[in-house]
């Protein structure tokens, strides 16, 4: 048995977590699930949205499957999702985007993997607010040392890109490509404009690529990459990006592949990994047994591959693909008409997937 932490989340989290758990168990993967709480519901009971036991459980088991957690806007606790990534140093965000027959999309040939750096760049959280003393000091220093000037009414966000973090994420992309039998890694940047941050990213990408002669390497400027992905997505394979471009292109690629309902993901560090859907907690659907469990189940497929249970992963992915292709026992969002009365609930879609697993 493999011990794995199951973070059930809030909103629609507990329903899709249960659906995913049942489907994964049906593959015979022999997982010893260790449920752990996080989010708004446990906050009400214990006063903290992320109990220490939850963090300890992930650290002990090294692998977690996590359902979504609500981040209240404006007040309340800060994002548990961001906190988990930072505390556990989950530096790589992995998002495969794939076409499945039966999923409505403008494209039928998508098979891309986004590898996003999670810790640096404009999302490092190093910011200086307009009008503050520190900001005025920084602006003064910059204006004394640079030809270009910043006006005093500016706010500033800093974009750090380091050799260490870039090496680590580009190596991760190549190792992933090698392990998954993929042919090419594309490094995305804007090195022509930001020479000392994205320029460094590109230089380090090229250096790391030299260690992987078996995998093709190329680079693309981010704006061109967006157009190319829309026009010729079949040219691309594994795409590695700094944090900000990675965030934007993840959603672009999720859209190419069929949208949030089917977009899985993972946040991975040196030792720990958390697998989770791209979508959020959709609070308005909480407790209705209505939403699509596919994204979390496909995150479970990624998790099974990560722990070496490849046969079980294939079984589960084939079963999901079969149910989606049939289009019968699927949730409302997968029907051509969202009001289709034949749409099934979250747990019934899981039942249909389990039936397909049994038939294999
Ligand atoms: P959301 O993804 O929760 O929902 C947006 C809309 O997408 C929903 O109203 C619904 O129509 C649709 N949708 C989402 N998941 C679906 C599913 N499984 N099946 C069918 N339809 C689905 O995004 P949001 O409303 O912006 O965020 C809600 C909360 O979730 C926020 O507090 C946000 O911060 C949080 N969030 C958490 C995570 C995470 O836990 N990793 C990720 C994103 C957002």
């Amino acid at each position: 048995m493999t011990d794995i932490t199951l973070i059930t989340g809030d909103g629609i989290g507990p329903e899709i977590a249960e659906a995913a758990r049942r489907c994964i168990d049906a593959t015979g993967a022999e997982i010893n699930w260790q449920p752990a709480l996080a989010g708004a519901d446990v906050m009400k009971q214990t006063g903290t949205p992320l109990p220490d036991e939850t963090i300890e459980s992930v650290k002990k088991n090294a692998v977690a499957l996590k359902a979504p957690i609500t981040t209240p806007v404006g007040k309340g606790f800060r994002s548990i999702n961001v906190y988990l990534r930072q505390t556990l140093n989950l530096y790589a965000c992995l998002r495969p985007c794939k076409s499945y027959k039966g999923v409505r999309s403008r494209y039928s040939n998508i098979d891309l993997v986004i590898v996003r750096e999670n810790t640096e760049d404009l999302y490092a959280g190093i910011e200086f607010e307009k009008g503050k003393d520190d900001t005025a000091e920084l602006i003064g220093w910059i204006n004394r040392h640079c030809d270009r000037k910043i006006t005093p009414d500016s706010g500033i966000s800093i974009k750090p890109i380091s050799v260490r973090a870039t090496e680590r994420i580009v190596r991760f992309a190549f190792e992933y490509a090698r392990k998954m039998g993929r042919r090419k890694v594309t490094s995305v940047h804007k090195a022509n404009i930001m020479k000392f941050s994205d320029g460094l990213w590109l230089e380090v990408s090229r250096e790391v690529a030299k260690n992987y002669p078996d995998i093709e390497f190329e680079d693309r400027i981010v704006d061109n990459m967006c157009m190319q992905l829309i026009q010729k997505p079949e040219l691309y394979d594994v795409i590695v990006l700094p944090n900000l471009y990675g965030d934007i292109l993840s959603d672009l690629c999720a859209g190419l592949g069929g949208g949030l309902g089917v977009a899985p993901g993972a946040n991975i560090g040196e030792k720990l990994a958390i697998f989770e859907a791209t979508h959020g907690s959709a609070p308005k659907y909480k407790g209705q047994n209505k939403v699509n469990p596919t994204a979390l189940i496909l995150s479970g497929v990624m998790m099974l591959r990560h722990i070496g249970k490849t046969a079980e992963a294939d079984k589960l992915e084939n079963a999901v693909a079969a149910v989606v292709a049939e289009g019968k026992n699927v949730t409302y969002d997968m029907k051509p008409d969202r009001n289709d009365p034949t749409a099934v609930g979250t747990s019934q879609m899981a039942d249909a997937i389990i039936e397909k697993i049994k038939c294999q």
Side-chain angles (χ1 to χ4, degrees), residues 12 66-72 81 85 260-261 276-285 291-292 332-333 338:
I12 57 169
K66 174 186 159 296
I69 298 172
T70 306
T71 305
N81 304 302
R85 278 168 222 158
L260 279 182
E276 60 179 323
T278 299
H279 65 71
S281 58
K284 70 179 177 192
Y285 292 122
V291 296
N292 191 346
Y332 74 100
D333 56 306
R338 290 167 81 87

PDB file of all heavy atoms in Angstrom, residues 12 66-72 81 85 260-261 276-285 291-292 332-333 338, ligand 1:
ATOM      1  N   ILE A  12     -16.826  22.681  -3.954  1.00  0.00           N
ATOM      2  CA  ILE A  12     -17.072  21.394  -4.623  1.00  0.00           C
ATOM      3  C   ILE A  12     -15.997  20.355  -4.299  1.00  0.00           C
ATOM      4  O   ILE A  12     -16.091  19.204  -4.731  1.00  0.00           O
ATOM      5  CB  ILE A  12     -17.150  21.563  -6.165  1.00  0.00           C
ATOM      6  CG1 ILE A  12     -15.859  22.199  -6.694  1.00  0.00           C
ATOM      7  CG2 ILE A  12     -18.394  22.335  -6.564  1.00  0.00           C
ATOM      8  CD1 ILE A  12     -15.714  22.170  -8.211  1.00  0.00           C
ATOM      9  N   LYS A  66      -5.105  16.889  -4.136  1.00  0.00           N
ATOM     10  CA  LYS A  66      -5.749  18.007  -3.450  1.00  0.00           C
ATOM     11  C   LYS A  66      -6.926  18.548  -4.252  1.00  0.00           C
ATOM     12  O   LYS A  66      -6.801  18.858  -5.426  1.00  0.00           O
ATOM     13  CB  LYS A  66      -4.709  19.120  -3.239  1.00  0.00           C
ATOM     14  CG  LYS A  66      -5.273  20.387  -2.663  1.00  0.00           C
ATOM     15  CD  LYS A  66      -4.216  21.484  -2.632  1.00  0.00           C
ATOM     16  CE  LYS A  66      -4.854  22.837  -2.554  1.00  0.00           C
ATOM     17  NZ  LYS A  66      -5.663  23.195  -3.725  1.00  0.00           N
ATOM     18  N   ALA A  67      -8.070  18.649  -3.575  1.00  0.00           N
ATOM     19  CA  ALA A  67      -9.235  19.293  -4.193  1.00  0.00           C
ATOM     20  C   ALA A  67      -9.125  20.807  -3.984  1.00  0.00           C
ATOM     21  O   ALA A  67      -8.337  21.253  -3.150  1.00  0.00           O
ATOM     22  CB  ALA A  67     -10.505  18.732  -3.563  1.00  0.00           C
ATOM     23  N   PRO A  68      -9.911  21.594  -4.716  1.00  0.00           N
ATOM     24  CA  PRO A  68      -9.740  23.050  -4.635  1.00  0.00           C
ATOM     25  C   PRO A  68     -10.119  23.648  -3.287  1.00  0.00           C
ATOM     26  O   PRO A  68     -10.911  23.071  -2.541  1.00  0.00           O
ATOM     27  CB  PRO A  68     -10.681  23.586  -5.723  1.00  0.00           C
ATOM     28  CG  PRO A  68     -11.246  22.431  -6.415  1.00  0.00           C
ATOM     29  CD  PRO A  68     -10.898  21.188  -5.701  1.00  0.00           C
ATOM     30  N   ILE A  69      -9.534  24.817  -3.035  1.00  0.00           N
ATOM     31  CA  ILE A  69      -9.764  25.555  -1.785  1.00  0.00           C
ATOM     32  C   ILE A  69     -10.112  27.003  -2.139  1.00  0.00           C
ATOM     33  O   ILE A  69      -9.427  27.622  -2.971  1.00  0.00           O
ATOM     34  CB  ILE A  69      -8.494  25.533  -0.904  1.00  0.00           C
ATOM     35  CG1 ILE A  69      -8.153  24.089  -0.515  1.00  0.00           C
ATOM     36  CG2 ILE A  69      -8.670  26.397   0.327  1.00  0.00           C
ATOM     37  CD1 ILE A  69      -6.806  23.942   0.187  1.00  0.00           C
ATOM     38  N   THR A  70     -11.144  27.530  -1.489  1.00  0.00           N
ATOM     39  CA  THR A  70     -11.579  28.906  -1.753  1.00  0.00           C
ATOM     40  C   THR A  70     -10.593  29.917  -1.173  1.00  0.00           C
ATOM     41  O   THR A  70     -10.094  29.719  -0.067  1.00  0.00           O
ATOM     42  CB  THR A  70     -12.955  29.138  -1.089  1.00  0.00           C
ATOM     43  OG1 THR A  70     -13.841  28.126  -1.550  1.00  0.00           O
ATOM     44  CG2 THR A  70     -13.504  30.513  -1.409  1.00  0.00           C
ATOM     45  N   THR A  71     -10.325  30.988  -1.931  1.00  0.00           N
ATOM     46  CA  THR A  71      -9.587  32.129  -1.391  1.00  0.00           C
ATOM     47  C   THR A  71     -10.559  33.303  -1.315  1.00  0.00           C
ATOM     48  O   THR A  71     -10.950  33.834  -2.358  1.00  0.00           O
ATOM     49  CB  THR A  71      -8.411  32.521  -2.319  1.00  0.00           C
ATOM     50  OG1 THR A  71      -7.599  31.376  -2.518  1.00  0.00           O
ATOM     51  CG2 THR A  71      -7.586  33.641  -1.725  1.00  0.00           C
ATOM     52  N   PRO A  72     -10.970  33.715  -0.105  1.00  0.00           N
ATOM     53  CA  PRO A  72     -11.910  34.836  -0.038  1.00  0.00           C
ATOM     54  C   PRO A  72     -11.261  36.110  -0.584  1.00  0.00           C
ATOM     55  O   PRO A  72     -10.068  36.333  -0.362  1.00  0.00           O
ATOM     56  CB  PRO A  72     -12.188  34.989   1.460  1.00  0.00           C
ATOM     57  CG  PRO A  72     -11.593  33.810   2.114  1.00  0.00           C
ATOM     58  CD  PRO A  72     -10.555  33.252   1.207  1.00  0.00           C
ATOM     59  N   ASN A  81      -3.520  27.938  -1.355  1.00  0.00           N
ATOM     60  CA  ASN A  81      -2.856  27.299  -2.493  1.00  0.00           C
ATOM     61  C   ASN A  81      -1.451  27.865  -2.685  1.00  0.00           C
ATOM     62  O   ASN A  81      -0.480  27.129  -2.833  1.00  0.00           O
ATOM     63  CB  ASN A  81      -3.699  27.503  -3.749  1.00  0.00           C
ATOM     64  CG  ASN A  81      -5.102  26.981  -3.534  1.00  0.00           C
ATOM     65  OD1 ASN A  81      -5.286  25.816  -3.227  1.00  0.00           O
ATOM     66  ND2 ASN A  81      -6.091  27.851  -3.639  1.00  0.00           N
ATOM     67  N   ARG A  85       2.320  26.023  -1.841  1.00  0.00           N
ATOM     68  CA  ARG A  85       3.399  25.958  -2.837  1.00  0.00           C
ATOM     69  C   ARG A  85       4.679  26.559  -2.270  1.00  0.00           C
ATOM     70  O   ARG A  85       5.767  26.019  -2.454  1.00  0.00           O
ATOM     71  CB  ARG A  85       3.001  26.743  -4.091  1.00  0.00           C
ATOM     72  CG  ARG A  85       2.117  25.953  -5.010  1.00  0.00           C
ATOM     73  CD  ARG A  85       1.498  26.819  -6.096  1.00  0.00           C
ATOM     74  NE  ARG A  85       0.110  26.442  -6.263  1.00  0.00           N
ATOM     75  CZ  ARG A  85      -0.829  27.208  -6.793  1.00  0.00           C
ATOM     76  NH1 ARG A  85      -0.542  28.404  -7.241  1.00  0.00           N
ATOM     77  NH2 ARG A  85      -2.061  26.778  -6.902  1.00  0.00           N
ATOM     78  N   LEU A 260     -11.675  24.223 -18.413  1.00  0.00           N
ATOM     79  CA  LEU A 260     -11.369  23.937 -17.009  1.00  0.00           C
ATOM     80  C   LEU A 260     -11.809  22.558 -16.534  1.00  0.00           C
ATOM     81  O   LEU A 260     -11.155  21.942 -15.703  1.00  0.00           O
ATOM     82  CB  LEU A 260     -12.068  24.981 -16.127  1.00  0.00           C
ATOM     83  CG  LEU A 260     -11.395  26.341 -15.982  1.00  0.00           C
ATOM     84  CD1 LEU A 260     -12.208  27.220 -15.044  1.00  0.00           C
ATOM     85  CD2 LEU A 260      -9.979  26.157 -15.449  1.00  0.00           C
ATOM     86  N   GLY A 261     -12.947  22.099 -17.047  1.00  0.00           N
ATOM     87  CA  GLY A 261     -13.514  20.838 -16.563  1.00  0.00           C
ATOM     88  C   GLY A 261     -12.597  19.647 -16.767  1.00  0.00           C
ATOM     89  O   GLY A 261     -12.716  18.631 -16.075  1.00  0.00           O
ATOM     90  N   GLU A 276      -3.471  18.471  -8.426  1.00  0.00           N
ATOM     91  CA  GLU A 276      -4.761  19.166  -8.263  1.00  0.00           C
ATOM     92  C   GLU A 276      -5.279  19.661  -9.610  1.00  0.00           C
ATOM     93  O   GLU A 276      -4.502  19.918 -10.530  1.00  0.00           O
ATOM     94  CB  GLU A 276      -4.615  20.347  -7.298  1.00  0.00           C
ATOM     95  CG  GLU A 276      -3.620  21.386  -7.724  1.00  0.00           C
ATOM     96  CD  GLU A 276      -3.534  22.549  -6.722  1.00  0.00           C
ATOM     97  OE1 GLU A 276      -4.567  22.932  -6.170  1.00  0.00           O
ATOM     98  OE2 GLU A 276      -2.418  23.061  -6.523  1.00  0.00           O
ATOM     99  N   ALA A 277      -6.601  19.798  -9.684  1.00  0.00           N
ATOM    100  CA  ALA A 277      -7.212  20.337 -10.895  1.00  0.00           C
ATOM    101  C   ALA A 277      -6.824  21.803 -11.048  1.00  0.00           C
ATOM    102  O   ALA A 277      -6.485  22.475 -10.076  1.00  0.00           O
ATOM    103  CB  ALA A 277      -8.731  20.213 -10.790  1.00  0.00           C
ATOM    104  N   THR A 278      -6.911  22.297 -12.289  1.00  0.00           N
ATOM    105  CA  THR A 278      -6.640  23.710 -12.529  1.00  0.00           C
ATOM    106  C   THR A 278      -7.779  24.590 -12.001  1.00  0.00           C
ATOM    107  O   THR A 278      -7.561  25.703 -11.551  1.00  0.00           O
ATOM    108  CB  THR A 278      -6.471  23.929 -14.056  1.00  0.00           C
ATOM    109  OG1 THR A 278      -5.370  23.145 -14.489  1.00  0.00           O
ATOM    110  CG2 THR A 278      -6.229  25.375 -14.404  1.00  0.00           C
ATOM    111  N   HIS A 279      -9.000  24.064 -12.042  1.00  0.00           N
ATOM    112  CA  HIS A 279     -10.157  24.898 -11.660  1.00  0.00           C
ATOM    113  C   HIS A 279     -10.218  25.110 -10.149  1.00  0.00           C
ATOM    114  O   HIS A 279      -9.532  24.439  -9.373  1.00  0.00           O
ATOM    115  CB  HIS A 279     -11.463  24.289 -12.181  1.00  0.00           C
ATOM    116  CG  HIS A 279     -11.822  22.969 -11.586  1.00  0.00           C
ATOM    117  ND1 HIS A 279     -12.238  22.826 -10.283  1.00  0.00           N
ATOM    118  CD2 HIS A 279     -11.823  21.711 -12.111  1.00  0.00           C
ATOM    119  CE1 HIS A 279     -12.494  21.551 -10.045  1.00  0.00           C
ATOM    120  NE2 HIS A 279     -12.230  20.835 -11.133  1.00  0.00           N
ATOM    121  N   GLY A 280     -11.106  26.048  -9.743  1.00  0.00           N
ATOM    122  CA  GLY A 280     -11.248  26.384  -8.336  1.00  0.00           C
ATOM    123  C   GLY A 280     -12.399  25.641  -7.669  1.00  0.00           C
ATOM    124  O   GLY A 280     -12.868  24.601  -8.177  1.00  0.00           O
ATOM    125  N   SER A 281     -12.868  26.209  -6.554  1.00  0.00           N
ATOM    126  CA  SER A 281     -13.824  25.516  -5.689  1.00  0.00           C
ATOM    127  C   SER A 281     -15.283  25.743  -6.074  1.00  0.00           C
ATOM    128  O   SER A 281     -16.178  25.245  -5.386  1.00  0.00           O
ATOM    129  CB  SER A 281     -13.607  25.972  -4.244  1.00  0.00           C
ATOM    130  OG  SER A 281     -13.770  27.382  -4.184  1.00  0.00           O
ATOM    131  N   ALA A 282     -15.522  26.508  -7.138  1.00  0.00           N
ATOM    132  CA  ALA A 282     -16.871  26.771  -7.676  1.00  0.00           C
ATOM    133  C   ALA A 282     -17.941  26.745  -6.573  1.00  0.00           C
ATOM    134  O   ALA A 282     -18.858  25.917  -6.617  1.00  0.00           O
ATOM    135  CB  ALA A 282     -17.191  25.757  -8.782  1.00  0.00           C
ATOM    136  N   PRO A 283     -17.859  27.650  -5.574  1.00  0.00           N
ATOM    137  CA  PRO A 283     -18.714  27.547  -4.373  1.00  0.00           C
ATOM    138  C   PRO A 283     -20.205  27.491  -4.689  1.00  0.00           C
ATOM    139  O   PRO A 283     -20.961  26.858  -3.934  1.00  0.00           O
ATOM    140  CB  PRO A 283     -18.380  28.811  -3.578  1.00  0.00           C
ATOM    141  CG  PRO A 283     -17.099  29.308  -4.131  1.00  0.00           C
ATOM    142  CD  PRO A 283     -16.962  28.812  -5.529  1.00  0.00           C
ATOM    143  N   LYS A 284     -20.619  28.090  -5.815  1.00  0.00           N
ATOM    144  CA  LYS A 284     -22.071  28.109  -6.068  1.00  0.00           C
ATOM    145  C   LYS A 284     -22.629  26.713  -6.364  1.00  0.00           C
ATOM    146  O   LYS A 284     -23.839  26.494  -6.270  1.00  0.00           O
ATOM    147  CB  LYS A 284     -22.423  29.095  -7.192  1.00  0.00           C
ATOM    148  CG  LYS A 284     -21.978  28.694  -8.565  1.00  0.00           C
ATOM    149  CD  LYS A 284     -22.404  29.742  -9.600  1.00  0.00           C
ATOM    150  CE  LYS A 284     -21.876  29.370 -10.966  1.00  0.00           C
ATOM    151  NZ  LYS A 284     -21.966  30.383 -11.976  1.00  0.00           N
ATOM    152  N   TYR A 285     -21.755  25.765  -6.685  1.00  0.00           N
ATOM    153  CA  TYR A 285     -22.224  24.397  -6.972  1.00  0.00           C
ATOM    154  C   TYR A 285     -22.003  23.437  -5.796  1.00  0.00           C
ATOM    155  O   TYR A 285     -22.262  22.232  -5.907  1.00  0.00           O
ATOM    156  CB  TYR A 285     -21.515  23.843  -8.202  1.00  0.00           C
ATOM    157  CG  TYR A 285     -21.898  24.543  -9.480  1.00  0.00           C
ATOM    158  CD1 TYR A 285     -20.940  25.167 -10.276  1.00  0.00           C
ATOM    159  CD2 TYR A 285     -23.220  24.578  -9.905  1.00  0.00           C
ATOM    160  CE1 TYR A 285     -21.287  25.812 -11.449  1.00  0.00           C
ATOM    161  CE2 TYR A 285     -23.580  25.230 -11.077  1.00  0.00           C
ATOM    162  CZ  TYR A 285     -22.605  25.839 -11.840  1.00  0.00           C
ATOM    163  OH  TYR A 285     -22.971  26.475 -12.981  1.00  0.00           O
ATOM    164  N   VAL A 291     -20.960  19.045 -10.494  1.00  0.00           N
ATOM    165  CA  VAL A 291     -19.814  19.444 -11.324  1.00  0.00           C
ATOM    166  C   VAL A 291     -19.016  18.245 -11.851  1.00  0.00           C
ATOM    167  O   VAL A 291     -19.157  17.111 -11.387  1.00  0.00           O
ATOM    168  CB  VAL A 291     -18.849  20.378 -10.555  1.00  0.00           C
ATOM    169  CG1 VAL A 291     -19.531  21.680 -10.210  1.00  0.00           C
ATOM    170  CG2 VAL A 291     -18.281  19.683  -9.337  1.00  0.00           C
ATOM    171  N   ASN A 292     -18.149  18.582 -12.787  1.00  0.00           N
ATOM    172  CA  ASN A 292     -17.359  17.592 -13.513  1.00  0.00           C
ATOM    173  C   ASN A 292     -16.142  17.151 -12.681  1.00  0.00           C
ATOM    174  O   ASN A 292     -15.298  17.980 -12.328  1.00  0.00           O
ATOM    175  CB  ASN A 292     -16.889  18.274 -14.802  1.00  0.00           C
ATOM    176  CG  ASN A 292     -16.298  17.310 -15.782  1.00  0.00           C
ATOM    177  OD1 ASN A 292     -15.994  16.181 -15.441  1.00  0.00           O
ATOM    178  ND2 ASN A 292     -16.133  17.768 -17.008  1.00  0.00           N
ATOM    179  N   TYR A 332     -23.179  18.087 -16.817  1.00  0.00           N
ATOM    180  CA  TYR A 332     -23.856  19.087 -17.658  1.00  0.00           C
ATOM    181  C   TYR A 332     -22.920  19.853 -18.579  1.00  0.00           C
ATOM    182  O   TYR A 332     -23.266  20.159 -19.722  1.00  0.00           O
ATOM    183  CB  TYR A 332     -24.623  20.091 -16.764  1.00  0.00           C
ATOM    184  CG  TYR A 332     -23.709  21.068 -16.057  1.00  0.00           C
ATOM    185  CD1 TYR A 332     -23.534  22.367 -16.539  1.00  0.00           C
ATOM    186  CD2 TYR A 332     -22.987  20.693 -14.936  1.00  0.00           C
ATOM    187  CE1 TYR A 332     -22.668  23.259 -15.916  1.00  0.00           C
ATOM    188  CE2 TYR A 332     -22.126  21.568 -14.304  1.00  0.00           C
ATOM    189  CZ  TYR A 332     -21.968  22.849 -14.798  1.00  0.00           C
ATOM    190  OH  TYR A 332     -21.110  23.718 -14.194  1.00  0.00           O
ATOM    191  N   ASP A 333     -21.711  20.163 -18.063  1.00  0.00           N
ATOM    192  CA  ASP A 333     -20.787  21.009 -18.833  1.00  0.00           C
ATOM    193  C   ASP A 333     -20.222  20.292 -20.047  1.00  0.00           C
ATOM    194  O   ASP A 333     -19.655  20.932 -20.936  1.00  0.00           O
ATOM    195  CB  ASP A 333     -19.639  21.478 -17.922  1.00  0.00           C
ATOM    196  CG  ASP A 333     -18.913  20.304 -17.276  1.00  0.00           C
ATOM    197  OD1 ASP A 333     -19.579  19.462 -16.635  1.00  0.00           O
ATOM    198  OD2 ASP A 333     -17.684  20.205 -17.454  1.00  0.00           O
ATOM    199  N   ARG A 338     -26.070  22.789 -22.119  1.00  0.00           N
ATOM    200  CA  ARG A 338     -25.798  22.715 -20.670  1.00  0.00           C
ATOM    201  C   ARG A 338     -27.050  22.425 -19.852  1.00  0.00           C
ATOM    202  O   ARG A 338     -26.954  22.063 -18.683  1.00  0.00           O
ATOM    203  CB  ARG A 338     -25.146  24.018 -20.193  1.00  0.00           C
ATOM    204  CG  ARG A 338     -23.724  24.167 -20.720  1.00  0.00           C
ATOM    205  CD  ARG A 338     -23.219  25.560 -20.506  1.00  0.00           C
ATOM    206  NE  ARG A 338     -22.727  25.811 -19.157  1.00  0.00           N
ATOM    207  CZ  ARG A 338     -21.491  25.576 -18.745  1.00  0.00           C
ATOM    208  NH1 ARG A 338     -20.613  25.050 -19.562  1.00  0.00           N
ATOM    209  NH2 ARG A 338     -21.119  25.865 -17.512  1.00  0.00           N
TER     210      ARG A 338
HETATM  211  P1  LIG B   1     -13.708  28.241 -10.431  1.00  0.00           P
HETATM  212  O1  LIG B   1     -12.792  27.444 -11.286  1.00  0.00           O
HETATM  213  O2  LIG B   1     -13.960  27.736  -9.070  1.00  0.00           O
HETATM  214  O3  LIG B   1     -15.138  28.347 -11.136  1.00  0.00           O
HETATM  215  C1  LIG B   1     -15.386  29.134 -12.290  1.00  0.00           C
HETATM  216  C2  LIG B   1     -16.556  28.506 -13.039  1.00  0.00           C
HETATM  217  O4  LIG B   1     -16.026  27.419 -13.792  1.00  0.00           O
HETATM  218  C3  LIG B   1     -17.620  27.906 -12.144  1.00  0.00           C
HETATM  219  O5  LIG B   1     -18.611  28.816 -11.793  1.00  0.00           O
HETATM  220  C4  LIG B   1     -18.175  26.815 -13.019  1.00  0.00           C
HETATM  221  O6  LIG B   1     -19.092  27.358 -13.931  1.00  0.00           O
HETATM  222  C5  LIG B   1     -16.945  26.360 -13.787  1.00  0.00           C
HETATM  223  N1  LIG B   1     -16.321  25.189 -13.183  1.00  0.00           N
HETATM  224  C6  LIG B   1     -15.214  25.142 -12.386  1.00  0.00           C
HETATM  225  N2  LIG B   1     -14.932  23.882 -12.063  1.00  0.00           N
HETATM  226  C7  LIG B   1     -15.855  23.120 -12.654  1.00  0.00           C
HETATM  227  C8  LIG B   1     -16.096  21.718 -12.691  1.00  0.00           C
HETATM  228  N3  LIG B   1     -15.316  20.844 -12.054  1.00  0.00           N
HETATM  229  N4  LIG B   1     -17.176  21.262 -13.395  1.00  0.00           N
HETATM  230  C9  LIG B   1     -17.975  22.100 -14.034  1.00  0.00           C
HETATM  231  N5  LIG B   1     -17.806  23.435 -14.050  1.00  0.00           N
HETATM  232  C10 LIG B   1     -16.756  23.933 -13.364  1.00  0.00           C
HETATM  233  O7  LIG B   1     -13.122  29.730 -10.401  1.00  0.00           O
HETATM  234  P2  LIG B   1     -13.493  30.958  -9.492  1.00  0.00           P
HETATM  235  O8  LIG B   1     -14.977  31.085  -9.385  1.00  0.00           O
HETATM  236  O9  LIG B   1     -12.690  32.075 -10.026  1.00  0.00           O
HETATM  237  O10 LIG B   1     -12.893  30.581  -8.082  1.00  0.00           O
HETATM  238  C11 LIG B   1     -13.657  30.070  -6.981  1.00  0.00           C
HETATM  239  C12 LIG B   1     -12.718  29.939  -5.799  1.00  0.00           C
HETATM  240  O11 LIG B   1     -11.735  28.933  -6.049  1.00  0.00           O
HETATM  241  C13 LIG B   1     -11.931  31.218  -5.483  1.00  0.00           C
HETATM  242  O12 LIG B   1     -11.910  31.407  -4.102  1.00  0.00           O
HETATM  243  C14 LIG B   1     -10.549  30.927  -6.016  1.00  0.00           C
HETATM  244  O13 LIG B   1      -9.563  31.663  -5.330  1.00  0.00           O
HETATM  245  C15 LIG B   1     -10.439  29.452  -5.758  1.00  0.00           C
HETATM  246  N6  LIG B   1      -9.457  28.756  -6.598  1.00  0.00           N
HETATM  247  C16 LIG B   1      -8.808  27.725  -6.018  1.00  0.00           C
HETATM  248  C17 LIG B   1      -7.898  26.997  -6.779  1.00  0.00           C
HETATM  249  C18 LIG B   1      -7.178  25.863  -6.118  1.00  0.00           C
HETATM  250  O14 LIG B   1      -7.597  25.396  -5.071  1.00  0.00           O
HETATM  251  N7  LIG B   1      -6.088  25.387  -6.696  1.00  0.00           N
HETATM  252  C19 LIG B   1      -7.675  27.309  -8.125  1.00  0.00           C
HETATM  253  C20 LIG B   1      -8.407  28.344  -8.697  1.00  0.00           C
HETATM  254  C21 LIG B   1      -9.301  29.067  -7.930  1.00  0.00           C
END
